[in-house]
């Protein structure tokens, strides 16, 4: 049930990206092109998605535990730090260059476009690379801790 | 391609919101695609299974639409594969560093009125707008 529910959520999310036009990089770039022939459609996508999620989350919070799991895993991080800012800048650079963010990029794999496959492969490398980089940053600190202890 | 499509935008946006709400109501998880995908790539364990079926659902949507007679339009990508690869690397590294993308920060985080997500969304939106302004109108 848990896995089926997750599949359905992914499916509905995918339909939303498809119908809204977010899977088409040209449409996304037209939204980002506010100094050109601006297409505001994606502002509506985001606005409506936000309104639905805002009220739906209020219901979820009011219910307490989710239906198929023991507890709700609401994000707990609140830091507004250099990582958040620099990470968002890097993401914005890539998004603006190509017009694909992670969800639409994965979904667009279905087109079997070689360029989309290259994009998602590079995105996976970037994610794995970030994990390795974090581990490298964390390692000396841990060594220091054990040395002190 | 550059045309204002408010109706399909509203319907699509409502479905994105609905999926995010259902994932929280049913599984108690936030619908952040970069986190779900990265979790599938780098971390193992139980969490891997629901992430896998979520991504499978995401891929099944355009297949089902095509079977129903609405095939996905071919994505228009830059002709330079070097540029495409650079974009993918930036999106992958950046979304992990910021711990979220358009879905996790832009929809789920902003809907929680999280200041962290609002800042992240403003930063990646402004950066992407600046990149498009430079590549289309200055270069």
């Amino acid at each position: 049930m848990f896995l089926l529910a997750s599949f359905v959520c992914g499916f509905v999310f995918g339909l939303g990206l498809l119908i809204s036009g977010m899977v088409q990089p040209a449409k996304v770039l037209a939204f980002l092109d506010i100094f050109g022939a601006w297409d505001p459609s994606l502002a509506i996508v985001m606005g409506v998605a936000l309104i639905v999620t805002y009220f739906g989350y209020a219901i979820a919070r009011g219910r307490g535990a989710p239906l198929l799991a023991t507890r709700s895993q609401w994000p707990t991080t609140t830091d507004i730090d250099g990582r958040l800012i620099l990470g968002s800048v890097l993401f914005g650079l890539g998004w603006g260059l190509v017009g694909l963010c992670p969800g639409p990029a994965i979904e667009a794999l279905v087109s079997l476009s070689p360029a989309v496959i290259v994009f998602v492969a590079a995105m996976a490398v970037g994610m794995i690379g970030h994990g390795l980089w974090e581990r490298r940053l964390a390692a000396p600190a841990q060594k220091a801790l054990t040395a002190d202890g | 391609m550059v045309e204002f499509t408010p109706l399909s935008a509203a319907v699509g946006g409502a479905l994105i919101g609905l999926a995010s709400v259902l994932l929280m109501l049913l599984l108690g998880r936030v619908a952040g695609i970069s986190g779900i995908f990265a979790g599938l790539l780098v971390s193992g364990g139980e969490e891997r299974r629901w992430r896998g079926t979520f991504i499978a659902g995401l891929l099944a949507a355009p297949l089902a639409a095509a079977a129903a007679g609405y095939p996905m339009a071919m994505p228009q990508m830059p002709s330079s594969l070097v540029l495409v690869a650079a974009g993918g690397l930036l999106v992958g590294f950046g979304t992990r560093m910021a711990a979220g993308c358009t879905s996790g920060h832009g929809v789920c985080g902003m809907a929680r009125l999280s200041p962290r997500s609002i800042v992240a969304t403003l930063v990646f939106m402004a950066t992407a707008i600046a990149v498009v302004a430079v590549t289309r109108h200055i270069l």
Side-chain angles (χ1 to χ4, degrees):
Chain A
M1 229 11 227
F2 189 82
L3 296 180
L4 178 67
S6 170
F7 178 86
V8 170
C9 289
F11 187 82
V12 174
F13 203 107
L15 281 184
L17 291 177
L18 188 68
I19 293 170
S20 66
M22 282 205 70
V23 284
Q24 178 53 259
K27 181 96 180 157
V28 176
L29 293 176
F31 165 69
L32 295 171
D33 190 10
I34 59 172
F35 302 109
W38 189 48
D39 171 7
S41 306
L42 295 198
I44 295 183
V45 177
M46 199 142 182
V48 174
L50 272 175
I51 293 166
V52 171
T53 310
Y54 176 82
F55 287 105
Y57 271 8
I59 296 171
R61 217 173 276 116
R63 288 188 51 95
L67 287 167
L68 302 173
T70 47
R71 63 182 189 90
S72 301
Q73 300 184 12
W74 295 103
T76 50
T77 322
T78 54
D79 312 345
I80 297 175
D81 53 10
R83 284 174 173 227
L84 183 79
I85 308 290
L86 181 58
S88 297
V89 167
L90 296 176
F91 166 40
L93 285 174
W95 193 34
L97 280 176
V98 181
L100 281 177
C101 53
I106 295 164
E107 183 165 356
L109 282 175
V110 167
S111 71
L112 299 179
S113 149
V116 173
I117 296 170
V118 167
F119 183 88
V120 175
M123 185 173 89
V125 169
M127 287 174 166
I128 293 167
H130 179 265
L132 297 174
W133 177 71
E134 281 235 296
R135 215 169 300 164
R136 188 164 279 199
L137 281 185
Q142 247 167 8
K143 246 182 226 161
L145 270 179
T146 42
D148 286 341
Chain B
M1 191 61 220
V2 185
E3 49 182 315
F4 184 42
T5 49
L7 189 64
S8 57
V11 172
L15 289 173
I16 292 169
L18 176 69
S20 306
V21 171
L22 282 177
L23 197 67
M24 184 50 76
L25 268 176
L26 297 171
L27 278 72
R29 305 305 204 275
V30 165
I33 313 278
S34 54
I36 291 173
F37 186 62
L40 205 54
L41 292 173
V42 294
S43 57
E46 274 290 286
E47 293 293 299
R48 220 181 176 142
R49 300 175 64 206
W50 74 265
R51 286 177 170 140
T53 51
F54 185 94
I55 298 292
L58 194 64
L59 292 168
L63 294 174
Y70 299 96
M72 181 168 70
M74 200 61 179
Q76 294 174 35
M77 297 289 284
S79 50
S80 159
L81 286 183
V82 175
L83 181 76
V84 168
L89 276 173
L90 286 165
V91 169
F93 195 91
T95 52
R96 286 330 293 147
M97 191 175 195
C101 59
T102 341
S103 51
H105 281 312
V107 175
C108 299
M110 294 240 292
R112 292 187 297 113
L113 305 180
S114 152
R116 173 176 154 83
S117 290
I118 294 169
V119 168
T121 307
L122 288 176
V123 171
F124 66 65
M125 281 270 180
T127 308
I129 286 169
V131 169
V132 173
V134 169
T135 53
R136 286 198 173 177
H137 304 292
I138 295 177
L139 292 184

PDB file of all heavy atoms in Angstrom, chain A residues 101-118:
ATOM      1  N   CYS A 101      14.672  21.591 -14.437  1.00  0.00           N
ATOM      2  CA  CYS A 101      14.984  21.343 -13.039  1.00  0.00           C
ATOM      3  C   CYS A 101      14.777  19.835 -12.805  1.00  0.00           C
ATOM      4  O   CYS A 101      14.340  19.130 -13.715  1.00  0.00           O
ATOM      5  CB  CYS A 101      14.150  22.238 -12.117  1.00  0.00           C
ATOM      6  SG  CYS A 101      12.379  22.174 -12.412  1.00  0.00           S
ATOM      7  N   PRO A 102      15.112  19.300 -11.621  1.00  0.00           N
ATOM      8  CA  PRO A 102      15.166  17.838 -11.470  1.00  0.00           C
ATOM      9  C   PRO A 102      13.900  17.065 -11.872  1.00  0.00           C
ATOM     10  O   PRO A 102      14.004  16.079 -12.608  1.00  0.00           O
ATOM     11  CB  PRO A 102      15.501  17.678  -9.981  1.00  0.00           C
ATOM     12  CG  PRO A 102      16.334  18.877  -9.677  1.00  0.00           C
ATOM     13  CD  PRO A 102      15.691  20.001 -10.454  1.00  0.00           C
ATOM     14  N   GLY A 103      12.723  17.473 -11.404  1.00  0.00           N
ATOM     15  CA  GLY A 103      11.503  16.717 -11.711  1.00  0.00           C
ATOM     16  C   GLY A 103      11.245  16.593 -13.204  1.00  0.00           C
ATOM     17  O   GLY A 103      11.170  15.476 -13.750  1.00  0.00           O
ATOM     18  N   PRO A 104      11.116  17.729 -13.905  1.00  0.00           N
ATOM     19  CA  PRO A 104      10.888  17.670 -15.347  1.00  0.00           C
ATOM     20  C   PRO A 104      12.022  16.956 -16.095  1.00  0.00           C
ATOM     21  O   PRO A 104      11.766  16.256 -17.077  1.00  0.00           O
ATOM     22  CB  PRO A 104      10.825  19.148 -15.749  1.00  0.00           C
ATOM     23  CG  PRO A 104      10.346  19.839 -14.513  1.00  0.00           C
ATOM     24  CD  PRO A 104      10.976  19.087 -13.377  1.00  0.00           C
ATOM     25  N   ALA A 105      13.259  17.097 -15.637  1.00  0.00           N
ATOM     26  CA  ALA A 105      14.381  16.443 -16.313  1.00  0.00           C
ATOM     27  C   ALA A 105      14.212  14.925 -16.279  1.00  0.00           C
ATOM     28  O   ALA A 105      14.356  14.244 -17.295  1.00  0.00           O
ATOM     29  CB  ALA A 105      15.703  16.841 -15.658  1.00  0.00           C
ATOM     30  N   ILE A 106      13.878  14.392 -15.093  1.00  0.00           N
ATOM     31  CA  ILE A 106      13.707  12.938 -14.963  1.00  0.00           C
ATOM     32  C   ILE A 106      12.531  12.483 -15.827  1.00  0.00           C
ATOM     33  O   ILE A 106      12.613  11.512 -16.568  1.00  0.00           O
ATOM     34  CB  ILE A 106      13.500  12.551 -13.479  1.00  0.00           C
ATOM     35  CG1 ILE A 106      14.765  12.863 -12.675  1.00  0.00           C
ATOM     36  CG2 ILE A 106      13.125  11.077 -13.348  1.00  0.00           C
ATOM     37  CD1 ILE A 106      14.557  12.883 -11.173  1.00  0.00           C
ATOM     38  N   GLU A 107      11.437  13.240 -15.753  1.00  0.00           N
ATOM     39  CA  GLU A 107      10.250  12.872 -16.529  1.00  0.00           C
ATOM     40  C   GLU A 107      10.538  12.906 -18.039  1.00  0.00           C
ATOM     41  O   GLU A 107      10.072  12.052 -18.786  1.00  0.00           O
ATOM     42  CB  GLU A 107       9.103  13.823 -16.177  1.00  0.00           C
ATOM     43  CG  GLU A 107       7.813  13.465 -16.891  1.00  0.00           C
ATOM     44  CD  GLU A 107       6.594  14.145 -16.289  1.00  0.00           C
ATOM     45  OE1 GLU A 107       6.734  14.843 -15.270  1.00  0.00           O
ATOM     46  OE2 GLU A 107       5.501  13.972 -16.852  1.00  0.00           O
ATOM     47  N   ALA A 108      11.325  13.910 -18.473  1.00  0.00           N
ATOM     48  CA  ALA A 108      11.608  14.077 -19.899  1.00  0.00           C
ATOM     49  C   ALA A 108      12.495  12.953 -20.459  1.00  0.00           C
ATOM     50  O   ALA A 108      12.667  12.840 -21.664  1.00  0.00           O
ATOM     51  CB  ALA A 108      12.261  15.438 -20.155  1.00  0.00           C
ATOM     52  N   LEU A 109      13.061  12.118 -19.546  1.00  0.00           N
ATOM     53  CA  LEU A 109      13.842  10.960 -20.010  1.00  0.00           C
ATOM     54  C   LEU A 109      13.011  10.065 -20.926  1.00  0.00           C
ATOM     55  O   LEU A 109      13.537   9.408 -21.827  1.00  0.00           O
ATOM     56  CB  LEU A 109      14.311  10.119 -18.812  1.00  0.00           C
ATOM     57  CG  LEU A 109      15.509  10.615 -18.013  1.00  0.00           C
ATOM     58  CD1 LEU A 109      15.729   9.711 -16.809  1.00  0.00           C
ATOM     59  CD2 LEU A 109      16.761  10.653 -18.886  1.00  0.00           C
ATOM     60  N   VAL A 110      11.690  10.063 -20.690  1.00  0.00           N
ATOM     61  CA  VAL A 110      10.782   9.226 -21.469  1.00  0.00           C
ATOM     62  C   VAL A 110      10.860   9.562 -22.969  1.00  0.00           C
ATOM     63  O   VAL A 110      10.625   8.705 -23.818  1.00  0.00           O
ATOM     64  CB  VAL A 110       9.342   9.385 -20.911  1.00  0.00           C
ATOM     65  CG1 VAL A 110       8.304   8.809 -21.846  1.00  0.00           C
ATOM     66  CG2 VAL A 110       9.252   8.714 -19.540  1.00  0.00           C
ATOM     67  N   SER A 111      11.229  10.797 -23.291  1.00  0.00           N
ATOM     68  CA  SER A 111      11.348  11.202 -24.698  1.00  0.00           C
ATOM     69  C   SER A 111      12.535  10.517 -25.380  1.00  0.00           C
ATOM     70  O   SER A 111      12.638  10.506 -26.598  1.00  0.00           O
ATOM     71  CB  SER A 111      11.538  12.712 -24.785  1.00  0.00           C
ATOM     72  OG  SER A 111      12.831  13.061 -24.312  1.00  0.00           O
ATOM     73  N   LEU A 112      13.441   9.948 -24.571  1.00  0.00           N
ATOM     74  CA  LEU A 112      14.682   9.325 -25.051  1.00  0.00           C
ATOM     75  C   LEU A 112      15.571  10.303 -25.815  1.00  0.00           C
ATOM     76  O   LEU A 112      16.426   9.900 -26.595  1.00  0.00           O
ATOM     77  CB  LEU A 112      14.394   8.086 -25.911  1.00  0.00           C
ATOM     78  CG  LEU A 112      13.646   6.948 -25.202  1.00  0.00           C
ATOM     79  CD1 LEU A 112      13.404   5.781 -26.164  1.00  0.00           C
ATOM     80  CD2 LEU A 112      14.415   6.454 -23.978  1.00  0.00           C
ATOM     81  N   SER A 113      15.362  11.603 -25.584  1.00  0.00           N
ATOM     82  CA  SER A 113      16.225  12.618 -26.187  1.00  0.00           C
ATOM     83  C   SER A 113      17.641  12.449 -25.642  1.00  0.00           C
ATOM     84  O   SER A 113      17.841  12.438 -24.422  1.00  0.00           O
ATOM     85  CB  SER A 113      15.687  14.012 -25.830  1.00  0.00           C
ATOM     86  OG  SER A 113      16.745  14.941 -25.743  1.00  0.00           O
ATOM     87  N   PRO A 114      18.649  12.293 -26.517  1.00  0.00           N
ATOM     88  CA  PRO A 114      20.029  12.105 -26.026  1.00  0.00           C
ATOM     89  C   PRO A 114      20.474  13.260 -25.123  1.00  0.00           C
ATOM     90  O   PRO A 114      21.159  13.035 -24.130  1.00  0.00           O
ATOM     91  CB  PRO A 114      20.858  12.061 -27.317  1.00  0.00           C
ATOM     92  CG  PRO A 114      19.896  11.674 -28.385  1.00  0.00           C
ATOM     93  CD  PRO A 114      18.575  12.245 -27.985  1.00  0.00           C
ATOM     94  N   ALA A 115      20.062  14.477 -25.456  1.00  0.00           N
ATOM     95  CA  ALA A 115      20.473  15.630 -24.644  1.00  0.00           C
ATOM     96  C   ALA A 115      19.880  15.548 -23.241  1.00  0.00           C
ATOM     97  O   ALA A 115      20.543  15.906 -22.255  1.00  0.00           O
ATOM     98  CB  ALA A 115      20.054  16.931 -25.328  1.00  0.00           C
ATOM     99  N   VAL A 116      18.640  15.071 -23.124  1.00  0.00           N
ATOM    100  CA  VAL A 116      18.025  14.933 -21.801  1.00  0.00           C
ATOM    101  C   VAL A 116      18.753  13.855 -21.001  1.00  0.00           C
ATOM    102  O   VAL A 116      19.005  14.010 -19.800  1.00  0.00           O
ATOM    103  CB  VAL A 116      16.511  14.618 -21.909  1.00  0.00           C
ATOM    104  CG1 VAL A 116      15.940  14.300 -20.538  1.00  0.00           C
ATOM    105  CG2 VAL A 116      15.757  15.786 -22.544  1.00  0.00           C
ATOM    106  N   ILE A 117      19.132  12.770 -21.672  1.00  0.00           N
ATOM    107  CA  ILE A 117      19.864  11.689 -20.994  1.00  0.00           C
ATOM    108  C   ILE A 117      21.205  12.227 -20.472  1.00  0.00           C
ATOM    109  O   ILE A 117      21.586  11.959 -19.330  1.00  0.00           O
ATOM    110  CB  ILE A 117      20.062  10.482 -21.945  1.00  0.00           C
ATOM    111  CG1 ILE A 117      18.687   9.893 -22.294  1.00  0.00           C
ATOM    112  CG2 ILE A 117      20.969   9.426 -21.312  1.00  0.00           C
ATOM    113  CD1 ILE A 117      18.700   8.854 -23.406  1.00  0.00           C
ATOM    114  N   VAL A 118      21.886  13.023 -21.297  1.00  0.00           N
ATOM    115  CA  VAL A 118      23.158  13.627 -20.874  1.00  0.00           C
ATOM    116  C   VAL A 118      22.920  14.530 -19.664  1.00  0.00           C
ATOM    117  O   VAL A 118      23.670  14.497 -18.679  1.00  0.00           O
ATOM    118  CB  VAL A 118      23.793  14.437 -22.035  1.00  0.00           C
ATOM    119  CG1 VAL A 118      24.939  15.317 -21.532  1.00  0.00           C
ATOM    120  CG2 VAL A 118      24.296  13.492 -23.125  1.00  0.00           C
TER     121      VAL A 118
END
